[in-house]
Amino acid sequence: MKLLRYIQGLRKGKDAHRIEQEAMTDPFLADALEGFESVEENHAERIERMQRRLNHITQKQHHIAAAKIAAKERVLHSEIAEENTFCAEISADEEKEATKAKPHVSGKKKRRSPAVWMVAAMLLLFLATGSYFWLLKEETPVPQLALQTEKAHDATKEIAAEEKAEFLQEFTERNELTDSRTLAQDAQRETERRAEQQAVSVPTLSIPPPPAIESEIALADADKSILAEATYDTILDFDKLKSDDSISPDLLAFKDFNKPQPTDSIPVINIDELGIRSNTNRHALSQTEANKKEESVADYNVLSQSQIQTQGKISGKLSDQNQSSSYKRSKKQQSPVEDRAYSSSSFLPSGTVNGRVTDQYGEPLPGVTIVVKGTETATVTDIEGYFALNAKNAEKLVAKYIGFDSIELPADTTKPMTIAMNESTAMLDEVVINAYGVSRTDDYSVNEERTIPKPEIGYSAYRKYINDNLQKLTDECADVAGKVKLTFYVNSSGRPYNIQVKRSLCQSADQEAVRLVKDGGDWTIGDGEVEYTIKF
Amino acid sequence: MQVHKIDIAKLTDEELLLQYCNTGDSEHFGALYNRYIPLVYGLCLKYLQDADKAEDATMQLFENLLKKIRSYEIKVFRTWLYSVAKNHCFQILRKKEREITLNPEILIMESDSIMHLFNEDNNSERLAALTNCIDKLPEPQRISIMKFFMEELSYAEIVDATGYQLKSVKSYIQNGKRNLKICIEKSTVE
């Protein structure tokens, strides 16, 4: 970007001039340029960092949104699946349909409408959730299930094997293509086709992966979660090849549909497929930049990890396999955080709940208090949001954090828990401190508490004295009528002092009023100001 | 389905915003805001005078907008964002009760009538007035204006060519533009 280069100090040449000229009419740009000049820093680096962070945030939210939609649909489908207790029947039917549809599919490989695509994904999801519930209901160990399925579908197995061979052949042919674009497009079509075939490929369990493919597996790590990742990577990288940035929601939705398949069904199939896929993947990747690969892997680590946490009610054998190999992987990737995430899940004693607390955007929340409800057992999440504490299964955990809604959920000792907290919407009002309520201690305000002196003889007698002693005025004030108001204080011997005319009537009248009070009787002792009015 | 992604870079601000409002896909708004990160960050730097604070403010503004922007009616995103970002900075400053110092010179944004004069020479009368007025300018202003508008040099290049300070060059151009405008208006009225 030209502006970035300008900020970095390349301020000569036509581009620089253009920016400066633009700034003359664009106050936004002018302000920004001024800002960059006024503070010494590596601004370009910061800008790039912010842009990366922003991409990360938006893509994460993007994933969350897509995952939510997928989860909703999954619930919907599992409800349907529950009604049909024997999913094997259904899947058999589906297989027939799929095999029927197959020639048609390969016949028009070139273009596929999104609708067909969606149908494929739905079928897949349906089957996956179905088999998942079946697994749950029957509580059959995985290998046994494999055997059963194998027996049940001996006939379809052969068809599937044929298909597989066909596919492999196709693939090797494709390998010879040099154009990366064609390869990627083809491979994506293949992925689409595979999505449909996955419905069919359940019985291909027993077919051992060819040795060549096995070496590929070694490269990619034969691990269920990796498989998921590898699958996604393939899709993602096609994606990246096809467009510069970001993943289309539709594709992502597809990924989510795809998810239950690798997690819930039998690993052998998936490893089998993984071989092919990671192969494809490698080819696709070799055409893309290395850093892109790293990024996508990193992103999908998050996904596959959360997938395990939220979705995986994996049978014991599976999770063992998962943990050991994923531990290997985390070593390989040298990411301390992940290492911890996995190792903690593998080695903590039973009765220990561990997990991670995040906000609604998936950012870790450090310092969240987690209490086992009704007990004194509590812990606080660390800087990465991780926690571990002793609790029995299904005991209630309460997570509390300031600024977030408290959350209560049953403990699950079988897998790392992910607790997402929502920012609380109730905000505190800003506190405004003002000076209205402050009381001042000045002379006037305390006035009321002071005792006001009275005439010793009483007000009525004092008035009589005034009336008796008031001398008729003879000067120009003689004809005026009205009142003179005086104020004064009374000293310790009861005499008025500091007599002042508050309201004047006429000079001689004022003087006469003052004389009357001065010569008049004593007052009771008090420290208040006396007001006295005399009529003329 | 994949088509719209390729086009994200080509979409105008307003189209991108519309996409976000319609789909609620944060990626669209992310892409839009990404375009403005350099500007918003620079603006925050100007007011907050601290790289860390400016970075925080920039990211904070994004998060605020992401939640709220769909409820606004925005005609031109650029100008809208400019005022929102500025207000955001002022709010931060107000919280810290710091005095806001504004450079009045920058706040006065002149219309680009002068630049039109340099770019279009179809009006010979005005052009004659312009050349006449340029000659009347004080020397440093005249040199700076000529180099910037005629030779299309950048500020830094003018500094190199003349030996003036960078700040002086800017104010020469600023003042020169103002003087030119006044001079031309006078001469065309007469």
Side-chain angles (χ1 to χ4, degrees):
Chain A
M1 201 181 155
K2 281 164 195 160
L3 181 58
L4 271 185
R5 254 176 304 184
Y6 186 85
I7 294 161
Q8 276 171 320
L10 291 165
R11 307 218 166 147
K12 290 178 186 173
K14 289 270 180 275
D15 282 344
H17 170 80
R18 211 162 294 135
I19 287 170
E20 282 160 0
Q21 193 170 341
E22 242 173 72
M24 283 179 174
T25 48
D26 182 356
F28 202 170
L29 184 60
D31 279 1
L33 291 183
E34 205 195 329
F36 289 123
E37 251 161 65
S38 62
V39 182
E40 287 278 325
E41 258 284 339
N42 190 349
H43 297 309
E45 194 182 283
R46 272 178 190 269
I47 287 169
E48 276 166 23
R49 193 171 65 209
M50 278 189 278
Q51 287 177 334
R52 270 203 308 275
R53 248 170 79 192
L54 199 107
N55 280 336
H56 193 67
I57 294 171
T58 52
Q59 279 180 14
K60 214 191 278 175
Q61 288 187 359
H62 183 105
H63 294 327
I64 290 168
K68 268 185 196 158
I69 295 162
K72 263 186 210 158
E73 301 217 4
R74 223 175 282 138
V75 169
L76 224 123
H77 280 258
S78 62
E79 278 166 8
I80 303 164
E82 243 174 331
E83 285 169 23
N84 305 297
T85 328
F86 292 102
C87 295
E89 283 172 35
I90 298 161
S91 53
D93 286 348
E94 275 167 11
E95 273 157 30
K96 268 181 220 155
E97 268 172 51
T99 25
K100 260 188 246 159
K102 205 243 152 190
H104 163 75
V105 165
S106 50
K108 65 175 228 196
K109 250 194 296 180
K110 266 161 213 153
R111 241 215 147 99
R112 189 181 304 278
S113 74
V116 176
W117 234 69
M118 286 300 284
V119 170
M122 292 289 237
L123 262 169
L124 185 67
L125 174 77
F126 197 72
L127 186 74
T129 40
S131 60
Y132 166 63
F133 270 89
W134 189 38
L135 245 168
L136 217 67
K137 279 221 154 87
E138 300 283 314
E139 288 179 13
T140 324
V142 179
Q144 246 178 305
L145 169 73
L147 275 171
Q148 275 179 1
T149 341
E150 203 184 331
K151 276 179 198 163
H153 306 289
D154 244 353
T156 23
K157 187 178 124 186
E158 274 172 38
I159 303 165
E162 267 173 43
E163 269 173 30
K164 216 178 97 69
E166 199 182 295
F167 170 62
L168 274 172
Q169 203 191 340
E170 268 174 30
F171 180 69
T172 30
E173 276 167 16
R174 209 163 285 130
N175 264 351
E176 283 156 31
L177 293 173
T178 40
D179 184 274
S180 70
R181 282 232 148 198
T182 346
L183 183 69
Q185 278 165 7
D186 281 359
Q188 188 178 14
R189 242 178 272 136
E190 205 51 61
T191 322
E192 291 171 56
R193 202 166 69 100
R194 281 269 106 188
E196 287 202 346
Q197 279 193 354
Q198 273 180 329
V200 189
S201 65
V202 176
T204 64
L205 302 167
S206 56
I207 300 170
I213 287 165
E214 210 147 23
S215 68
E216 294 294 342
I217 299 167
L219 261 172
D221 266 347
D223 154 28
K224 196 181 56 56
S225 69
I226 278 271
L227 156 78
E229 195 183 302
T231 320
Y232 300 150
D233 272 351
T234 322
I235 296 159
L236 180 78
D237 284 312
F238 296 148
D239 223 343
K240 289 220 165 170
L241 276 174
K242 294 200 132 203
S243 60
D244 310 331
D245 41 7
S246 66
I247 307 126
S248 100
D250 310 272
L251 264 180
L252 204 98
F254 171 66
K255 273 173 237 157
D256 282 306
F257 283 127
N258 222 348
K259 260 193 220 166
Q261 181 76 12
T263 324
D264 301 326
S265 56
I266 304 91
V268 189
I269 317 167
N270 297 325
I271 288 167
D272 191 11
E273 282 196 18
L274 168 70
I276 299 148
R277 263 160 210 278
S278 54
N279 203 348
T280 325
N281 193 12
R282 257 162 37 101
H283 279 273
L285 275 178
S286 63
Q287 312 291 342
T288 49
E289 292 161 58
N291 62 345
K292 262 189 182 172
K293 179 185 173 185
E294 270 167 35
E295 255 176 43
S296 64
V297 170
D299 279 349
Y300 278 86
N301 275 342
V302 181
L303 249 183
S304 59
Q305 193 182 325
S306 69
Q307 179 205 339
I308 295 164
Q309 286 169 351
T310 52
Q311 237 202 309
K313 296 207 169 151
I314 313 149
S315 69
K317 199 188 165 188
L318 272 182
S319 55
D320 273 353
Q321 189 191 346
N322 180 17
Q323 275 168 6
S324 57
S325 52
S326 59
Y327 188 52
K328 236 189 284 164
R329 178 171 65 110
S330 54
K331 256 195 211 157
K332 198 168 149 194
Q333 296 209 335
Q334 289 153 0
S335 157
V337 176
E338 255 173 69
D339 200 307
R340 227 170 94 219
Y342 283 97
S343 58
S344 65
S345 66
S346 332
F347 302 121
L348 282 168
S350 60
T352 302
V353 179
N354 64 87
R356 195 177 197 195
V357 183
T358 66
D359 63 9
Q360 67 256 56
Y361 307 117
E363 292 289 327
L365 289 177
V368 179
T369 314
I370 311 227
V371 190
V372 181
K373 206 182 181 188
T375 69
E376 306 237 305
T377 315
T379 186
V380 172
T381 58
D382 69 7
I383 193 102
E384 295 285 346
Y386 288 105
F387 70 91
L389 83 170
N390 289 318
K392 286 179 203 111
N393 237 343
E395 257 184 327
K396 282 259 152 62
L397 294 187
V398 183
K400 281 181 194 166
Y401 193 50
I402 194 157
F404 285 78
D405 292 330
S406 290
I407 201 168
E408 203 179 295
L409 72 175
D412 188 345
T413 52
T414 58
K415 59 180 167 63
M417 298 175 68
T418 301
I419 302 173
M421 298 185 78
N422 282 320
E423 260 175 69
S424 58
T425 43
M427 295 289 280
L428 290 174
D429 287 335
E430 280 183 53
V431 177
V432 179
I433 298 171
N434 58 39
Y436 298 139
V438 176
S439 65
R440 289 165 196 265
T441 50
D442 56 28
D443 294 342
Y444 302 102
S445 60
V446 198
N447 226 354
E448 290 90 334
E449 290 160 32
R450 298 185 171 186
T451 48
I452 311 245
K454 292 169 194 157
E456 275 200 322
I457 49 172
Y459 268 112
S460 50
Y462 196 76
R463 185 154 305 277
K464 196 171 182 286
Y465 148 80
I466 296 285
N467 288 341
D468 290 350
N469 291 280
L470 193 131
Q471 293 183 355
K472 285 275 176 213
L473 302 173
T474 51
D475 57 2
E476 76 277 1
C477 292
D479 295 331
V480 289
K483 295 170 184 173
V484 175
K485 196 192 242 178
L486 302 174
T487 61
F488 55 89
Y489 290 93
V490 175
N491 67 14
S492 52
S493 47
R495 296 307 306 162
Y497 73 97
N498 196 13
I499 303 169
Q500 290 187 340
V501 180
K502 195 92 182 253
R503 198 208 290 164
S504 157
L505 179 68
C506 189
Q507 200 189 356
S508 56
D510 295 349
Q511 282 169 359
E512 174 63 8
V514 173
R515 187 197 64 82
L516 281 168
V517 170
K518 236 183 192 166
D519 296 347
D522 285 347
W523 292 67
T524 59
I525 294 160
D527 49 6
E529 190 190 42
V530 183
E531 252 182 42
Y532 195 77
T533 309
I534 296 166
K535 270 188 197 165
F536 283 92
Chain B
M1 354 171 127
Q2 293 118 351
V3 181
H4 75 274
K5 283 188 296 167
I6 302 164
D7 289 340
I8 272 187
K10 287 183 202 155
L11 291 176
T12 66
D13 297 346
E14 285 72 29
E15 282 166 346
L16 212 48
L17 189 65
L18 192 73
Q19 282 271 351
Y20 175 64
C21 290
N22 289 339
T23 63
D25 186 344
S26 54
E27 262 191 301
H28 290 296
F29 185 62
L32 177 59
Y33 196 78
N34 239 340
R35 293 178 185 177
Y36 284 97
I37 278 188
L39 288 179
V40 175
Y41 170 65
L43 182 77
C44 293
L45 270 180
K46 176 184 168 177
Y47 290 116
L48 306 179
Q49 293 290 309
D50 180 283
D52 286 325
K53 283 176 196 156
E55 193 178 327
D56 286 349
T58 309
M59 294 308 288
Q60 202 190 339
L61 182 64
F62 168 71
E63 277 170 25
N64 290 353
L65 291 183
L66 186 64
K67 284 179 214 157
K68 291 183 199 156
I69 200 159
R70 290 169 86 180
S71 56
Y72 292 113
E73 229 178 86
I74 299 161
K75 286 206 177 89
V76 183
F77 182 72
R78 189 188 183 91
T79 49
W80 182 84
L81 183 64
Y82 176 54
S83 54
V84 168
K86 222 154 98 175
N87 281 336
H88 183 64
C89 291
F90 289 158
Q91 246 172 5
I92 292 170
L93 288 175
R94 220 173 287 141
K95 269 183 194 160
K96 287 173 191 149
E97 286 179 32
R98 250 178 54 184
E99 216 171 282
I100 302 164
T101 46
L102 293 180
N103 184 349
E105 220 172 87
I106 297 294
L107 285 181
I108 306 159
M109 275 294 153
E110 288 168 34
S111 69
D112 50 353
S113 57
I114 298 296
M115 268 137 72
H116 277 303
L117 282 177
F118 285 101
N119 297 335
E120 299 162 23
D121 42 3
N122 43 9
N123 190 332
S124 56
E125 193 191 323
R126 283 180 74 97
L127 193 70
L130 175 69
T131 38
N132 186 32
C133 286
I134 285 178
D135 287 340
K136 282 185 194 160
L137 286 177
E139 193 185 289
Q141 284 182 21
R142 191 183 67 236
I143 292 171
S144 302
I145 289 269
M146 291 292 276
K147 286 203 183 303
F148 191 83
F149 289 105
M150 301 295 197
E151 295 171 37
E152 301 197 339
L153 296 182
S154 73
Y155 294 143
E157 285 165 330
I158 297 173
V159 168
D160 284 354
T162 58
Y164 299 141
Q165 295 281 312
L166 181 65
K167 270 186 187 169
S168 322
V169 170
K170 283 184 191 172
S171 66
Y172 289 150
I173 292 174
Q174 184 91 13
N175 295 334
K177 261 162 63 186
R178 193 171 52 245
N179 289 337
L180 273 182
K181 196 181 170 193
I182 295 164
C183 173
I184 288 168
E185 271 165 12
K186 254 190 209 163
S187 59
T188 45
V189 163
E190 285 160 11

